[in-house]
Amino acid sequence: MITTDTNKFQAIISHAKEYGFVFPSSEIYDGLSAVYDYGPWGSELKKNIREQWWNSMTRMHDNIVGIDAAIFMHPTTWKASGHVDNFSDPMIDNKDSKKRYRVDHLIEAQADKLAKEGKTETAESLLASMEKLLSDNDYAGIKSLIEKEGIACPVSGTSNWTDVRQFNLMFSTQLGSVSDDASEIYLRPETAQGIFVNFLNVQKTARMKVPFGIAQVGKAFRNEIVARQFIFRMREFEQMEMQFFIRPGTQKEWYEYWKKERMDWHIGLGFDAAHYRFHDHAKLAHYADAAVDIEYAFPIGWKEVEGIHSRTDFDLRNHQQFSGKKLQYFDTELNQNYIPYVIETSIGLDRMFLLTLSHAYTEEKWTKEDGKEDSRVVLKIPPKLAPIKLAILPLVKKDGLPEIARELMRSCREDFYCFYEEKDTIGKRYRRMDALGTPYCVTIDHQSKEDGTVTIRHRDSMTQERVALSSVREMVSRSTR
Ligand code: ATP
């Protein structure tokens, strides 16, 4: 069992703000609940994660291409996809505090509490009862369970609950300026539907043959009721989704293939395999015939970072029915028309970002040679994801050292992101770069002028070595891509 670490989680949130990774949205107006902005290093890190995903899908697979569909879609899309009728969470309101809660979150919090008290078995059986009731859509049963457990509202402290009701998570707005002829449309709650409605456009224009995939990265919006836990659960977030179109009947093999492929991607980035696990869904979404989550041991516990879903032909079939347009594929090998089945891989970019910080954030303390204590906060971000790859630091601001440093900067900046800094002592500059997760720092000193060598410092081990100035670019380039 992985223990939660609330202090570490709080430390990550403060660090992310202090060092320009993530800010609360519109902070000068006291922020907007569950909406966040990414700062200079946050947007760079986010871009690197996005690129790793995008390239792993489109460049590394001959049979996957990308698209970039609009956020707004024809409103019928969401009837066909089932979101208008089904994209809702069971909620319960406390009559005293008027606060609304997702029932699964209330019960999970209770299970956490029991586990912390050492009642692991009771906690597990509570979760099992909840999953069973949810999969039976037994909302009266869920309410009884909440009452039987004596779960109280964290705000009012009472157990004065309403019945359990469904609450749709889509945001809606009006398209058109005059209210009479304006029609209600939704902000997409997932990027997947932009792929489904373009299925034939892409298949034909990119000359794709089943099996093939379409990848997309973009914003999605959900009116999450219990939006907390920093960027783990946001109302506006980014998804990286890939729909893989296959022959009907081959879904089991492809499902296993993508489970492995996606787990390999995570581990291949440099994250610890022991912090990952698969979690099969007990209650399947309305579109799925098999579904699994890839979970990560965040400081707030095991949580989903990615979902892999076998979606059958649910989406294409429904779009065909609602649009009246054929969405079929002619398989020349089988000499047969069919609606392809789909395996989806869906990962939250912001959640992957939080995972990266959770892995990376490290507080270190040690005793120096002179007996004094020293410490640092270092982000051990995998080098290929790090926002800054190389910091270039002239030891002093004179004697021609800044010129050598600038020259190195000029020769490297086209290959990777480097950062120049000449203020403060070298020790302070190293600490700042540790806090930003910069894997390498190069110091230009007087010896550099004489023999063309520099000191390169490694972030994780803090070791330093003397290398030829001319070798820096190639060395950093190689170890950060
Ligand atoms: P959860 O159970 O956590 O609400 P979900 O099962 O509804 O997530 P999916 O619909 O499968 O999530 O979405 C795929 C991925 O999108 C998730 O694995 C997650 O990484 C990300 N995601 C979903 N909702 C949010 C959100 N509100 N904020 C940030 N990321 C999200």
Side-chain angles (χ1 to χ4, degrees):
M1 191 174 174
I2 290 273
T3 51
T4 56
D5 185 346
T6 325
N7 290 343
K8 178 172 174 186
F9 196 60
Q10 286 311 321
I12 289 172
I13 298 172
S14 314
H15 189 89
K17 176 153 186 262
E18 190 181 341
Y19 286 93
F21 284 87
V22 182
F23 309 125
S25 155
S26 18
E27 196 189 6
I28 58 167
Y29 296 105
D30 297 331
L32 184 64
S33 167
V35 186
Y36 289 90
D37 298 338
Y38 287 84
W41 311 125
S43 49
E44 196 66 30
L45 171 57
K46 199 173 168 203
K47 186 207 74 193
N48 292 344
I49 300 174
R50 191 191 288 118
E51 261 179 25
Q52 284 293 332
W53 183 87
W54 184 260
N55 291 341
S56 78
M57 287 294 175
T58 59
R59 264 199 220 170
M60 303 310 287
H61 292 93
D62 294 344
N63 58 353
I64 300 182
V65 288
I67 63 162
D68 183 9
I71 288 171
F72 290 141
M73 300 184 70
H74 192 283
T76 312
T77 308
W78 306 110
K79 277 299 277 178
S81 69
H83 282 81
V84 170
D85 296 324
N86 292 313
F87 193 56
S88 48
D89 280 333
M91 305 283 183
I92 195 163
D93 292 19
N94 182 269
K95 290 183 192 161
D96 299 316
S97 66
K98 309 273 186 272
K99 291 273 175 203
R100 178 168 291 163
Y101 300 92
R102 255 175 73 170
V103 293
D104 55 334
H105 289 168
L106 268 185
I107 297 171
E108 277 164 13
Q110 174 76 358
D112 276 353
K113 199 172 114 206
L114 290 168
K116 277 196 190 115
E117 291 166 4
K119 300 174 191 157
T120 326
E121 275 181 24
T122 326
E124 277 165 11
S125 99
L126 174 62
L127 290 176
S129 311
M130 174 187 82
E131 294 213 341
K132 168 90 180 64
L133 291 165
L134 284 177
S135 63
D136 293 346
N137 289 328
D138 181 354
Y139 297 131
I142 286 276
K143 185 179 178 189
S144 308
L145 186 65
I146 290 173
E147 286 171 342
K148 191 174 110 234
E149 280 296 318
I151 300 177
C153 163
V155 178
S156 67
T158 69
S159 301
N160 192 8
W161 298 110
T162 61
D163 286 342
V164 175
R165 278 171 304 186
Q166 293 282 62
F167 185 89
N168 198 292
L169 300 181
M170 282 196 292
F171 285 101
S172 64
T173 186
Q174 302 294 321
L175 189 74
S177 52
V178 187
S179 59
D180 285 355
D181 57 28
S183 58
E184 187 183 37
I185 57 162
Y186 299 101
L187 272 70
R188 66 179 177 199
E190 62 174 28
T191 56
Q193 299 306 322
I195 294 178
F196 291 124
V197 299
N198 279 300
F199 160 69
L200 274 188
N201 282 339
V202 175
Q203 189 267 319
K204 288 193 173 132
T205 55
R207 303 157 65 92
M208 306 306 283
K209 282 176 118 179
V210 165
F212 74 94
I214 306 178
Q216 173 167 225
V217 181
K219 289 273 179 142
F221 304 82
R222 296 183 187 179
N223 199 2
E224 300 280 6
I225 299 309
V226 187
R228 57 194 156 92
Q229 297 171 329
F230 190 41
I231 55 172
F232 182 81
R233 190 173 301 287
M234 304 158 89
R235 294 204 165 102
E236 173 180 341
F237 58 100
E238 217 164 317
Q239 283 187 317
M240 307 190 285
E241 296 198 301
M242 194 279 301
Q243 312 295 325
F244 198 71
F245 299 91
I246 54 175
R247 281 183 188 163
T250 61
Q251 64 268 34
K252 283 214 166 56
E253 298 140 50
W254 283 114
Y255 180 67
E256 292 306 323
Y257 171 88
W258 280 109
K259 263 177 82 170
K260 175 170 182 330
E261 187 83 0
R262 292 306 303 144
M263 190 60 104
D264 288 351
W265 179 80
H266 284 266
I267 310 303
L269 283 175
F271 296 111
D272 184 0
H275 277 66
Y276 281 96
R277 71 178 186 193
F278 286 115
H279 173 81
D280 287 310
H281 282 210
K283 179 181 187 332
L284 293 176
H286 56 275
Y287 51 76
D289 80 346
V292 66
D293 293 338
I294 295 181
E295 292 189 338
Y296 182 79
F298 287 91
I300 47 175
W302 284 104
K303 301 270 178 202
E304 167 182 348
V305 60
E306 171 159 7
I308 296 153
H309 310 125
S310 173
R311 290 180 84 123
T312 67
D313 61 358
F314 176 90
D315 302 88
L316 290 180
R317 183 172 293 282
N318 278 355
H319 285 307
Q320 171 168 292
Q321 190 195 328
F322 277 75
S323 67
K325 310 265 164 39
K326 273 214 159 26
L327 291 178
Q328 297 193 352
Y329 170 80
F330 181 70
D331 192 320
T332 46
E333 280 170 37
L334 298 180
N335 200 20
Q336 195 183 319
N337 262 314
Y338 55 79
I339 301 179
Y341 269 40
V342 170
I343 305 295
E344 162 184 83
T345 74
S346 172
I347 174 168
L349 176 50
D350 311 86
R351 246 179 232 187
M352 193 61 207
F353 185 103
L354 183 60
L355 184 157
T356 306
L357 289 188
S358 304
H359 159 91
Y361 183 88
T362 316
E363 293 174 5
E364 288 178 349
K365 277 200 180 84
W366 65 95
T367 311
K368 291 192 294 186
E369 276 169 15
D370 62 6
K372 287 192 184 141
E373 294 291 305
D374 207 349
S375 67
R376 67 170 182 161
V377 170
V378 52
L379 293 188
K380 296 186 175 176
I381 301 176
K384 55 177 118 176
L385 299 180
I388 302 168
K389 309 296 186 200
L390 173 69
I392 302 176
L393 317 170
L395 189 63
V396 290
K397 274 190 250 176
K398 51 181 187 183
D399 304 335
L401 304 189
E403 286 73 12
I404 300 175
R406 289 279 183 203
E407 186 47 41
L408 178 61
M409 185 86 184
R410 260 191 296 279
S411 76
C412 291
R413 69 192 331 162
E414 274 195 26
D415 290 0
F416 49 80
Y417 199 114
C418 30
F419 186 82
Y420 176 88
E421 193 160 47
E422 54 181 29
K423 275 199 301 281
D424 291 329
T425 63
I426 204 74
K428 273 198 184 149
R429 281 183 269 169
Y430 283 158
R431 285 293 183 279
R432 199 175 136 67
M433 284 302 130
D434 286 344
L436 297 180
T438 306
Y440 300 103
C441 293
V442 149
T443 304
I444 318 284
D445 57 18
H446 292 93
Q447 194 186 329
S448 312
K449 269 173 65 176
E450 283 156 27
D451 64 5
T453 63
V454 292
T455 305
I456 190 154
R457 175 184 179 272
H458 299 260
R459 176 194 70 194
D460 295 352
S461 61
M462 292 193 281
T463 50
Q464 303 187 12
E465 56 178 324
R466 201 85 204 167
V467 299
L469 177 60
S470 57
S471 69
V472 170
R473 174 175 152 199
E474 178 49 28
M475 186 243 138
V476 175
S477 221
R478 204 177 346 104
S479 48
T480 58
R481 70 174 167 241

